[in-house]
Each structure stands twice: as C-alpha cells, then as structure tokens.
Coordinates of all heavy atoms in Angstrom, one line a residue:
I2 N -22.7 6.2 31.9 CA -23.8 6.7 32.6 C -24.8 7.1 31.5 O -24.6 7.7 30.6 CB -23.6 8.0 33.4 CG1 -22.6 7.6 34.6 CG2 -24.9 8.5 34.0 CD1 -22.2 8.7 35.4
F3 N -26.1 6.6 31.8 CA -27.2 6.9 30.8 C -28.3 7.5 31.6 O -28.7 6.9 32.6 CB -27.7 5.6 30.0 CG -28.7 5.9 29.2 CD1 -28.4 6.3 27.8 CD2 -30.0 5.7 29.4 CE1 -29.3 6.5 26.9 CE2 -31.1 5.9 28.5 CZ -30.7 6.3 27.2
E4 N -28.7 8.7 31.3 CA -29.8 9.3 32.0 C -30.9 9.5 31.0 O -30.8 9.8 29.9 CB -29.4 10.8 32.5 CG -28.4 10.8 33.5 CD -28.2 12.2 34.0 OE1 -29.0 12.8 34.7 OE2 -27.2 12.8 33.6
R5 N -32.3 9.1 31.6 CA -33.3 9.3 30.7 C -34.5 10.1 31.4 O -34.8 9.7 32.6 CB -33.8 7.9 30.3 CG -34.9 7.9 29.4 CD -35.3 6.6 28.9 NE -36.5 6.6 28.1 CZ -36.7 6.0 27.0 NH1 -35.8 5.1 26.6 NH2 -37.8 6.1 26.3
F6 N -35.0 11.1 30.7 CA -36.1 11.8 31.3 C -37.2 11.6 30.5 O -37.4 12.1 29.3 CB -35.8 13.4 31.4 CG -34.8 13.7 32.4 CD1 -33.5 13.6 32.1 CD2 -35.2 14.1 33.8 CE1 -32.5 14.0 33.1 CE2 -34.2 14.4 34.6 CZ -32.9 14.4 34.3
D7 N -38.4 10.9 30.9 CA -39.5 10.7 30.1 C -40.8 11.1 30.7 O -41.0 10.7 31.9 CB -39.7 9.1 30.0 CG -39.0 8.6 28.7 OD1 -38.9 9.4 27.7 OD2 -38.5 7.5 28.6
N8 N -41.4 12.0 30.1 CA -42.8 12.5 30.6 C -42.9 12.8 32.0 O -43.7 12.2 32.8 CB -43.8 11.3 30.2 CG -44.0 11.3 28.8 OD1 -43.9 12.2 28.0 ND2 -44.1 10.0 28.2
N9 N -41.9 13.5 32.6 CA -41.9 13.9 34.0 C -43.2 14.7 34.2 O -43.7 15.4 33.4 CB -40.8 14.8 34.3 CG -39.4 14.1 34.3 OD1 -39.3 13.0 35.0 ND2 -38.5 14.6 33.5
N10 N -43.8 14.4 35.3 CA -45.1 15.0 35.5 C -45.2 15.7 36.9 O -45.7 15.3 37.9 CB -46.2 13.9 35.6 CG -47.6 14.4 35.4 OD1 -47.7 15.6 35.2 ND2 -48.5 13.5 35.7
I11 N -44.5 16.8 37.0 CA -44.5 17.7 38.1 C -45.3 19.0 37.6 O -44.9 19.7 36.8 CB -43.1 18.1 38.6 CG1 -42.3 16.9 38.9 CG2 -43.2 19.1 39.7 CD1 -40.9 17.1 39.2
T12 N -46.4 19.2 38.4 CA -47.3 20.3 37.9 C -47.4 21.3 38.9 O -47.7 21.0 40.0 CB -48.7 19.7 37.5 OG1 -48.5 18.7 36.5 CG2 -49.6 20.8 36.9
D13 N -47.5 22.6 38.6 CA -47.6 23.7 39.5 C -49.1 23.8 39.6 O -49.9 23.8 38.6 CB -47.1 25.0 38.9 CG -47.0 26.2 39.7 OD1 -48.2 26.5 40.0 OD2 -46.1 26.7 39.9
V14 N -49.5 24.0 40.8 CA -50.9 24.1 41.2 C -51.7 25.1 40.4 O -52.8 25.2 40.0 CB -51.2 24.3 42.7 CG1 -52.6 24.5 43.0 CG2 -50.6 23.1 43.4
N15 N -50.9 26.3 40.1 CA -51.6 27.5 39.5 C -51.6 27.6 38.0 O -52.0 28.5 37.4 CB -50.9 28.8 40.1 CG -51.1 28.9 41.6 OD1 -52.1 28.6 42.1 ND2 -50.0 29.3 42.3
S16 N -51.0 26.6 37.3 CA -50.8 26.6 35.9 C -50.8 25.2 35.3 O -50.6 24.3 36.1 CB -49.6 27.5 35.4 OG -48.5 26.9 35.8
S17 N -50.8 25.1 34.1 CA -50.6 23.9 33.5 C -49.2 23.6 32.9 O -48.9 22.7 32.2 CB -51.5 23.7 32.3 OG -51.3 24.7 31.3
V18 N -48.3 24.5 33.4 CA -46.8 24.3 33.0 C -46.1 23.8 34.2 O -46.3 24.0 35.2 CB -46.3 25.7 32.5 CG1 -44.8 25.6 32.2 CG2 -47.0 26.3 31.4
S19 N -45.2 22.7 33.8 CA -44.5 22.0 34.9 C -42.9 22.4 34.6 O -42.6 22.6 33.5 CB -44.8 20.6 34.9 OG -44.5 20.0 33.6
L20 N -42.2 22.3 35.8 CA -40.8 22.6 35.7 C -40.0 21.5 36.5 O -40.4 21.1 37.6 CB -40.5 23.9 36.4 CG -39.0 24.2 36.7 CD1 -38.3 24.4 35.4 CD2 -38.9 25.5 37.5
V21 N -39.0 21.1 35.9 CA -38.0 20.1 36.5 C -36.7 20.9 36.6 O -36.2 21.3 35.6 CB -38.0 18.8 35.8 CG1 -36.8 18.0 36.3 CG2 -39.2 18.0 35.8
N22 N -36.2 21.0 37.8 CA -34.9 21.7 38.1 C -33.9 20.5 38.6 O -34.2 20.1 39.8 CB -35.0 22.7 39.0 CG -33.8 23.7 39.0 OD1 -32.9 23.4 38.3 ND2 -33.8 24.6 39.9
S23 N -32.9 20.1 37.9 CA -32.1 19.0 38.3 C -30.6 19.3 38.2 O -30.1 20.0 37.3 CB -32.4 17.9 37.3 OG -31.8 16.7 37.6
L24 N -29.8 18.7 39.1 CA -28.4 18.9 39.2 C -27.7 17.6 39.3 O -28.2 16.6 39.9 CB -28.1 19.7 40.3 CG -26.6 19.8 40.7 CD1 -25.9 20.7 39.7 CD2 -26.4 20.5 42.1
G25 N -26.7 17.4 38.5 CA -25.9 16.2 38.5 C -24.4 16.5 38.8 O -24.0 17.6 38.4
Y26 N -23.7 15.5 39.3 CA -22.3 15.8 39.7 C -21.5 14.4 39.3 O -21.9 13.4 39.7 CB -22.0 16.1 41.1 CG -20.6 16.3 41.5 CD1 -19.9 17.4 41.0 CD2 -20.0 15.3 42.1 CE1 -18.5 17.5 41.4 CE2 -18.6 15.3 42.5 CZ -17.9 16.4 42.1 OH -16.5 16.5 42.4
I27 N -20.4 14.7 38.6 CA -19.5 13.3 38.2 C -18.1 13.8 38.5 O -17.7 14.9 38.2 CB -19.8 13.1 36.8 CG1 -21.2 12.7 36.4 CG2 -18.7 12.0 36.4 CD1 -21.4 12.4 34.9
H28 N -17.4 12.9 39.1 CA -15.9 13.1 39.3 C -15.2 12.0 38.8 O -15.5 10.7 38.9 CB -15.6 13.1 40.9 CG -14.1 13.2 41.1 ND1 -13.4 14.2 40.9 CD2 -13.3 12.1 41.5 CE1 -12.1 13.9 41.1 NE2 -12.0 12.8 41.5
L29 N -14.2 12.3 37.9 CA -13.4 11.2 37.2 C -12.0 11.3 37.7 O -11.3 12.3 37.7 CB -13.4 11.5 35.7 CG -14.7 11.5 35.0 CD1 -14.5 11.9 33.5 CD2 -15.2 10.0 35.0
D30 N -11.6 10.2 38.2 CA -10.2 10.0 38.8 C -9.2 9.9 37.6 O -9.5 9.8 36.5 CB -10.2 8.9 39.8 CG -9.3 9.2 40.9 OD1 -8.5 10.1 41.0 OD2 -9.5 8.5 41.9
Q31 N -7.9 9.9 38.1 CA -6.9 9.7 37.0 C -7.0 8.5 36.1 O -7.4 7.5 36.6 CB -5.5 9.7 37.9 CG -4.3 9.8 36.9 CD -3.0 9.9 37.7 OE1 -3.0 10.0 38.9 NE2 -1.9 9.9 36.9
N32 N -6.9 8.7 34.8 CA -7.1 7.7 33.8 C -8.4 7.2 33.6 O -8.6 6.2 32.8 CB -6.0 6.7 34.0 CG -4.5 7.1 33.9 OD1 -4.2 7.8 33.0 ND2 -3.7 6.7 35.0
A33 N -9.4 7.7 34.2 CA -10.8 7.2 34.0 C -11.3 7.8 32.7 O -10.9 8.8 32.2 CB -11.6 7.7 35.3
S34 N -12.4 7.0 32.2 CA -13.0 7.5 31.0 C -14.5 7.2 31.1 O -14.9 6.2 31.7 CB -12.5 6.5 29.9 OG -13.1 6.9 28.7
L35 N -15.3 8.3 30.7 CA -16.7 8.1 30.8 C -17.4 8.7 29.6 O -17.1 9.8 29.1 CB -17.2 8.9 32.1 CG -18.7 9.0 32.3 CD1 -19.2 7.5 32.7 CD2 -19.1 9.9 33.4
K36 N -18.4 8.0 29.1 CA -19.3 8.6 28.1 C -20.6 8.7 28.8 O -21.2 7.8 29.2 CB -19.5 7.7 26.8 CG -20.4 8.2 25.8 CD -20.6 7.3 24.6 CE -19.5 7.6 23.6 NZ -19.8 6.8 22.3
H37 N -21.1 10.0 28.9 CA -22.4 10.4 29.4 C -23.4 10.6 28.3 O -23.3 11.4 27.4 CB -22.2 11.5 30.3 CG -23.4 12.1 30.9 ND1 -24.2 13.2 30.3 CD2 -24.2 11.8 32.0 CE1 -25.2 13.4 31.1 NE2 -25.1 12.6 32.1
I38 N -24.6 9.8 28.4 CA -25.6 10.0 27.4 C -27.0 10.4 28.1 O -27.3 9.7 29.1 CB -25.8 8.7 26.6 CG1 -24.5 8.3 25.9 CG2 -27.0 8.8 25.6 CD1 -24.6 6.9 25.2
K39 N -27.4 11.5 27.7 CA -28.7 11.9 28.3 C -29.8 12.0 27.1 O -29.6 12.7 26.2 CB -28.5 13.4 28.8 CG -29.7 13.9 29.6 CD -29.4 15.1 30.2 CE -30.5 15.5 31.1 NZ -30.4 16.9 31.5
W40 N -30.8 11.3 27.4 CA -32.0 11.2 26.5 C -33.2 11.7 27.2 O -33.6 11.2 28.2 CB -32.2 9.7 26.2 CG -33.3 9.5 25.1 CD1 -34.6 9.4 25.4 CD2 -33.1 9.2 23.8 NE1 -35.3 9.1 24.3 CE2 -34.3 8.9 23.2 CE3 -32.0 9.1 23.0 CZ2 -34.6 8.7 21.9 CZ3 -32.2 8.8 21.5 CH2 -33.4 8.6 21.1
Q41 N -33.8 12.8 26.5 CA -34.9 13.5 27.2 C -36.0 13.4 26.2 O -36.0 13.9 25.1 CB -34.6 15.0 27.5 CG -33.5 15.1 28.6 CD -33.1 16.4 28.7 OE1 -32.5 16.7 29.8 NE2 -33.3 17.4 27.9
N42 N -37.2 12.9 26.6 CA -38.4 12.8 25.8 C -39.4 13.4 26.7 O -40.2 12.8 27.4 CB -38.7 11.4 25.4 CG -39.9 11.3 24.5 OD1 -40.3 12.3 23.9 ND2 -40.5 10.1 24.3
L43 N -39.7 14.7 26.6 CA -40.6 15.5 27.5 C -41.9 15.9 26.8 O -41.8 16.0 25.6 CB -39.8 16.8 28.0 CG -38.6 16.6 28.7 CD1 -37.9 17.9 28.9 CD2 -38.7 15.8 30.0
P44 N -43.0 15.9 27.6 CA -44.2 16.4 27.0 C -44.1 17.9 26.6 O -43.2 18.6 27.2 CB -45.3 16.3 28.2 CG -44.4 16.1 29.4 CD -43.2 15.6 29.0
A45 N -44.9 18.4 25.7 CA -44.8 19.7 25.1 C -44.9 20.9 26.3 O -44.4 21.9 26.1 CB -45.9 20.0 24.1
H46 N -45.5 20.6 27.4 CA -45.8 21.6 28.4 C -44.5 21.5 29.4 O -44.6 22.4 30.3 CB -47.1 21.3 29.1 CG -47.1 20.1 29.9 ND1 -47.4 18.9 29.4 CD2 -46.9 19.9 31.1 CE1 -47.3 18.0 30.2 NE2 -47.0 18.5 31.5
Q47 N -43.7 20.7 29.3 CA -42.6 20.5 30.3 C -41.5 21.5 30.2 O -41.1 21.7 29.1 CB -42.1 19.1 30.2 CG -41.1 18.8 31.3 CD -41.7 18.4 32.6 OE1 -42.6 17.6 32.6 NE2 -41.3 18.9 33.7
N48 N -41.1 22.1 31.2 CA -39.9 22.9 31.2 C -38.8 22.2 32.1 O -39.0 21.7 33.1 CB -40.1 24.3 31.9 CG -41.1 25.1 31.1 OD1 -41.1 25.1 29.9 ND2 -42.0 25.8 31.8
L49 N -37.5 22.3 31.5 CA -36.4 21.5 32.2 C -35.2 22.4 32.2 O -34.8 22.9 31.2 CB -36.0 20.2 31.5 CG -34.8 19.4 32.0 CD1 -35.2 18.9 33.3 CD2 -34.4 18.4 31.0
V50 N -34.7 22.5 33.5 CA -33.4 23.2 33.7 C -32.4 22.1 34.3 O -32.7 21.6 35.3 CB -33.5 24.4 34.6 CG1 -32.1 25.1 34.8 CG2 -34.4 25.4 34.0
Y51 N -31.4 21.8 33.6 CA -30.5 20.8 34.0 C -29.0 21.2 34.0 O -28.6 21.9 33.1 CB -30.6 19.5 33.2 CG -29.6 18.4 33.5 CD1 -29.9 17.5 34.6 CD2 -28.5 18.1 32.8 CE1 -29.0 16.6 35.0 CE2 -27.6 17.0 33.1 CZ -28.0 16.3 34.2 OH -27.1 15.3 34.6
K52 N -28.2 21.0 35.1 CA -26.9 21.4 35.3 C -26.0 20.2 35.6 O -26.4 19.4 36.6 CB -26.7 22.5 36.3 CG -25.2 22.9 36.3 CD -25.0 24.2 37.1 CE -23.5 24.7 37.0 NZ -23.6 26.1 37.7
L53 N -25.0 19.9 34.9 CA -24.2 18.7 35.2 C -22.8 19.3 35.4 O -22.2 20.1 34.7 CB -24.0 17.8 34.0 CG -23.1 16.6 34.1 CD1 -23.4 15.7 35.3 CD2 -23.0 15.8 32.8
L54 N -22.2 19.1 36.7 CA -20.9 19.5 37.1 C -20.0 18.3 36.9 O -20.3 17.2 37.5 CB -20.9 20.1 38.5 CG -21.8 21.3 38.8 CD1 -21.9 21.5 40.3 CD2 -21.3 22.4 38.1
V55 N -18.8 18.4 36.2 CA -17.9 17.4 36.1 C -16.5 17.9 36.5 O -16.1 19.0 36.1 CB -17.8 17.0 34.6 CG1 -16.8 15.8 34.4 CG2 -19.2 16.6 34.1
T56 N -15.9 17.1 37.4 CA -14.5 17.4 37.8 C -13.6 16.3 37.3 O -14.1 15.1 37.3 CB -14.3 17.6 39.3 OG1 -14.8 16.5 40.0 CG2 -15.1 18.8 39.8
Q57 N -12.4 16.5 36.8 CA -11.6 15.5 36.4 C -10.2 15.7 36.8 O -9.7 16.7 37.0 CB -11.4 15.7 34.8 CG -12.8 15.5 34.0 CD -12.6 15.6 32.6 OE1 -13.0 16.7 32.0 NE2 -12.0 14.6 31.9
R58 N -9.5 14.5 36.9 CA -8.1 14.4 37.3 C -7.4 14.2 36.0 O -7.9 14.0 35.0 CB -7.8 13.3 38.3 CG -8.5 13.4 39.6 CD -7.5 13.8 40.7 NE -8.2 14.0 41.9 CZ -7.8 13.6 43.1 NH1 -6.7 12.9 43.1 NH2 -8.4 13.9 44.2
R59 N -6.1 14.3 36.2 CA -5.2 14.2 35.0 C -5.3 13.0 34.3 O -5.6 11.8 34.8 CB -3.7 14.2 35.6 CG -2.7 14.3 34.5 CD -1.3 14.2 35.1 NE -0.3 14.2 34.0 CZ 0.7 14.9 34.0 NH1 1.0 15.7 35.1 NH2 1.6 15.0 33.1
D60 N -5.3 13.2 33.0 CA -5.5 12.1 31.9 C -6.9 11.4 31.9 O -6.9 10.2 31.4 CB -4.3 11.1 32.1 CG -2.9 11.6 31.8 OD1 -2.8 12.5 31.0 OD2 -2.0 11.2 32.5
S61 N -7.8 12.0 32.4 CA -9.2 11.3 32.4 C -9.8 11.9 31.1 O -9.5 12.9 30.6 CB -9.9 11.8 33.7 OG -10.2 13.1 33.7
R62 N -10.9 11.2 30.7 CA -11.6 11.6 29.5 C -13.1 11.6 29.8 O -13.7 10.7 30.3 CB -11.3 10.6 28.4 CG -9.9 10.6 27.9 CD -9.4 9.4 27.2 NE -9.4 8.3 28.0 CZ -8.6 7.9 29.0 NH1 -7.7 8.7 29.4 NH2 -8.7 6.7 29.6
F63 N -13.7 12.6 29.3 CA -15.2 12.8 29.5 C -15.9 13.2 28.3 O -15.4 14.1 27.6 CB -15.5 13.8 30.6 CG -17.0 14.1 30.7 CD1 -17.8 13.2 31.4 CD2 -17.6 15.2 30.2 CE1 -19.2 13.5 31.5 CE2 -18.8 15.6 30.3 CZ -19.7 14.7 31.0
E64 N -16.9 12.4 27.9 CA -17.7 12.8 26.5 C -19.2 12.8 27.0 O -19.6 12.0 27.6 CB -17.5 11.7 25.6 CG -18.1 11.9 24.3 CD -17.8 10.8 23.3 OE1 -17.0 9.9 23.5 OE2 -18.4 10.9 22.2
S65 N -19.8 13.8 26.5 CA -21.2 14.0 26.8 C -22.1 14.1 25.6 O -21.7 14.9 24.7 CB -21.4 15.2 27.8 OG -22.9 15.3 28.1
L66 N -23.2 13.4 25.6 CA -24.1 13.5 24.4 C -25.5 13.8 25.0 O -25.9 13.1 26.0 CB -24.1 12.2 23.5 CG -22.8 11.9 22.9 CD1 -23.0 10.4 22.4 CD2 -22.4 12.8 21.8
A67 N -26.2 14.7 24.4 CA -27.6 15.1 24.9 C -28.5 15.0 23.8 O -28.3 15.6 22.8 CB -27.6 16.4 25.6
F68 N -29.7 14.3 23.9 CA -30.8 14.2 22.9 C -32.0 14.7 23.5 O -32.6 14.2 24.5 CB -30.9 12.8 22.4 CG -29.7 12.2 21.8 CD1 -28.8 11.5 22.7 CD2 -29.4 12.4 20.4 CE1 -27.7 10.9 22.1 CE2 -28.2 11.8 19.9 CZ -27.4 11.2 20.7
D69 N -32.6 15.9 23.0 CA -33.8 16.6 23.6 C -34.9 16.3 22.5 O -34.8 16.8 21.5 CB -33.5 17.9 23.9 CG -32.4 18.1 25.0 OD1 -32.7 17.6 26.0 OD2 -31.4 18.8 24.6
F70 N -35.9 15.8 23.0 CA -37.1 15.6 22.1 C -38.3 16.1 22.9 O -38.6 15.6 24.0 CB -37.4 14.1 21.9 CG -36.3 13.5 21.1 CD1 -35.3 12.8 21.8 CD2 -36.1 13.7 19.7 CE1 -34.3 12.2 21.1 CE2 -35.0 13.1 19.1 CZ -34.1 12.3 19.7
G71 N -39.0 17.2 22.4 CA -40.1 17.7 23.0 C -39.7 18.8 24.1 O -38.5 19.3 24.1
G72 N -40.6 19.2 25.0 CA -40.4 20.1 26.0 C -40.7 21.5 25.5 O -40.5 21.9 24.4
A73 N -41.3 22.4 26.4 CA -41.5 23.8 26.1 C -40.2 24.5 26.1 O -39.8 25.1 25.1 CB -42.5 24.4 27.1
I74 N -39.5 24.6 27.3 CA -38.2 25.2 27.4 C -37.3 24.2 27.9 O -37.5 23.6 29.1 CB -38.3 26.4 28.3 CG1 -39.2 27.5 27.7 CG2 -36.9 27.0 28.5 CD1 -39.5 28.7 28.5
V75 N -36.3 23.9 27.3 CA -35.2 23.0 27.8 C -33.8 23.7 27.8 O -33.4 24.2 26.9 CB -35.1 21.8 27.0 CG1 -34.0 20.7 27.4 CG2 -36.4 21.0 26.9
R76 N -33.2 23.5 29.0 CA -31.8 24.2 29.1 C -30.9 23.2 29.7 O -31.2 22.6 30.8 CB -31.9 25.4 29.9 CG -30.5 26.0 30.2 CD -30.5 27.4 30.8 NE -29.2 27.8 31.1 CZ -29.0 29.1 31.4 NH1 -29.9 30.0 31.4 NH2 -27.7 29.4 31.6
N77 N -29.8 22.8 29.1 CA -28.8 21.9 29.6 C -27.5 22.6 29.7 O -27.0 23.1 28.7 CB -28.7 20.7 28.7 CG -29.9 19.8 28.6 OD1 -30.3 19.2 29.7 ND2 -30.4 19.6 27.5
N78 N -26.9 22.6 31.0 CA -25.6 23.2 31.2 C -24.6 22.1 31.6 O -24.9 21.3 32.5 CB -25.6 24.3 32.4 CG -26.5 25.4 32.0 OD1 -26.7 25.8 30.9 ND2 -27.0 26.1 33.0
V79 N -23.6 22.1 31.0 CA -22.4 21.1 31.3 C -21.2 22.0 31.7 O -20.7 22.7 30.8 CB -22.1 20.1 30.2 CG1 -21.0 19.1 30.6 CG2 -23.4 19.2 29.8
E80 N -20.7 21.8 32.9 CA -19.7 22.6 33.3 C -18.5 21.5 33.8 O -18.7 20.7 34.6 CB -20.1 23.4 34.6 CG -19.1 24.4 35.0 CD -19.6 25.3 36.2 OE1 -20.7 25.8 36.0 OE2 -18.9 25.3 37.3
V81 N -17.3 21.7 33.0 CA -16.2 20.7 33.2 C -15.1 21.5 33.7 O -14.8 22.6 33.3 CB -15.9 20.0 31.8 CG1 -14.7 19.0 32.1 CG2 -17.0 19.3 31.3

C-alpha cells in the first residue's frame, strides 16, 4: 500500500490554517505480508492528524515507513 498526501487544500473559513484528520485501517490475515509507505508533501500552513489501525493474524508481517515533508503540525499514529 502506498499513500500520498500532496498539497491538501482544506481551509477553515475563519483562518488561513487548514487541518486534515484521517484514519486508516488494515487487517492482515495469517501469513500475509505488507509494506506500507506513506509519503506526505504538505504546504507550510497544513496541519495533519493521521491514525492507522492495524490488526494481524498469526505469522503475518507488517512494515510501515512514513516520509513527512512540510506541514505546520504533523502527527502520525500507528497502532498495531
């Protein structure tokens, strides 16, 4: 899985700061393998809160890589 966030443009009417609040969910069955890559290239005024929930069965493998470029406030939570 490859996720990419580029120049999201969600703007609050009362300010010039924008916020993206995102949630992802992945389930890996027995013996499954997944490499998750997240590439974020956000404008300087962008705020991002992201949570990824991962559930796994026996003998599955999960690897996550996140690359953050830009953004005012960026928070990534990965819960396995």
